[in-house]
Amino acid sequence: MSVPGEEPGNPAHAIFERFLRAGECREVLGCFEELCQCLALQGTGLQLYHGLKAALNYWSAKALWSKLDKKAGHKDYDQGTAC
């Protein structure tokens, strides 16, 4: 398991770390596209989200999945069905 601040050994983990640190929209989108290519993921919406979640088993990604799942379960999002 990687320690925060260390460069991860898995290429997908390294791309995800760059995604998290990206400061401009162009960088975020580029890293996201690169991550999907690295993990051979396609699709949109929930299909893509669930694919990312299953394929990226990394400590900082797990923290993000937890936050997104909690937010999606909120009543404003109809328990994950509205968005």
Side-chain angles (χ1 to χ4, degrees), residues 12-82:
H13 297 174
I15 296 166
F16 186 77
E17 285 298 324
R18 287 196 342 251
F19 169 79
L20 291 178
R21 289 192 297 264
E24 295 182 6
C25 184
R26 181 179 17 227
E27 291 175 278
V28 171
L29 293 174
C31 289
F32 186 77
E33 183 178 340
E34 187 179 350
L35 182 61
C36 289
Q37 288 176 354
C38 178
L39 297 172
L41 294 173
Q42 296 179 353
T44 60
L46 283 176
Q47 177 190 13
L48 181 58
Y49 172 70
H50 290 299
L52 272 170
K53 191 174 170 182
L56 196 57
N57 191 17
Y58 179 53
W59 70 269
S60 62
K62 287 181 183 181
L64 178 60
W65 307 148
S66 177
K67 290 174 187 172
L68 290 174
D69 288 343
K70 183 177 180 180
K71 188 70 164 179
H74 194 270
K75 68 178 182 173
D76 292 340
Y77 300 105
D78 290 332
Q79 282 68 44
T81 61

